[in-house]
Amino acid sequence: MSTLAVIGIIEAVAGHREQLIPLLEEHRARCLRDEGGTLGFNILKSNDDETKIYIYEIYRDAAAFELHLNSPSLKRWREETAGLVANVIVQKATPVE
């Protein structure tokens, strides 16, 4: 099994990006605390687009990512951000080591 990287682009509804950041930070803290297979979780704000947030997550393997997708934290984050997120794009990748 190899490590899995997930690169995400979260597009906030115009004017709501700053509301999403603390909710995403809380989600990150829960994931790193409660999900043993979540190895890293970085949050970045776009300098070029005021609606975009980038995330870079590292998981022990694909199974750990599947657990994350069904986690209580992700469900909570989706509920908390309803109406604030316009779109989410997720790309999976394998880190070159």
Side-chain angles (χ1 to χ4, degrees):
M1 290 186 243
S2 62
T3 305
L4 177 69
V6 174
I7 302 152
I9 302 171
I10 300 169
E11 182 182 352
V13 171
H16 293 283
R17 182 174 77 172
E18 295 309 312
Q19 282 181 268
L20 284 173
I21 298 292
L23 297 171
L24 196 52
E25 290 172 326
E26 292 169 10
H27 172 57
R28 172 182 58 192
R30 291 190 302 267
C31 292
L32 292 171
R33 180 188 67 229
D34 301 337
E35 300 172 16
T38 302
L39 306 177
F41 193 128
N42 296 300
I43 303 166
L44 304 99
K45 295 191 308 186
S46 173
N47 292 339
D48 301 319
D49 186 331
E50 292 183 4
T51 67
K52 298 282 186 346
I53 301 167
Y54 304 108
I55 55 173
Y56 178 72
E57 304 170 19
I58 298 288
Y59 295 91
R60 181 178 52 240
D61 52 29
F65 180 60
E66 288 300 317
L67 287 173
H68 169 73
L69 291 177
N70 296 301
S71 71
S73 183
L74 187 56
K75 180 181 179 193
R76 177 177 169 181
W77 187 79
R78 287 178 175 149
E79 291 169 356
E80 292 173 338
T81 61
L84 302 176
V85 176
N87 192 31
V88 177
I89 298 170
V90 174
Q91 296 289 312
K92 297 177 192 173
T94 302
V96 177
E97 299 178 18

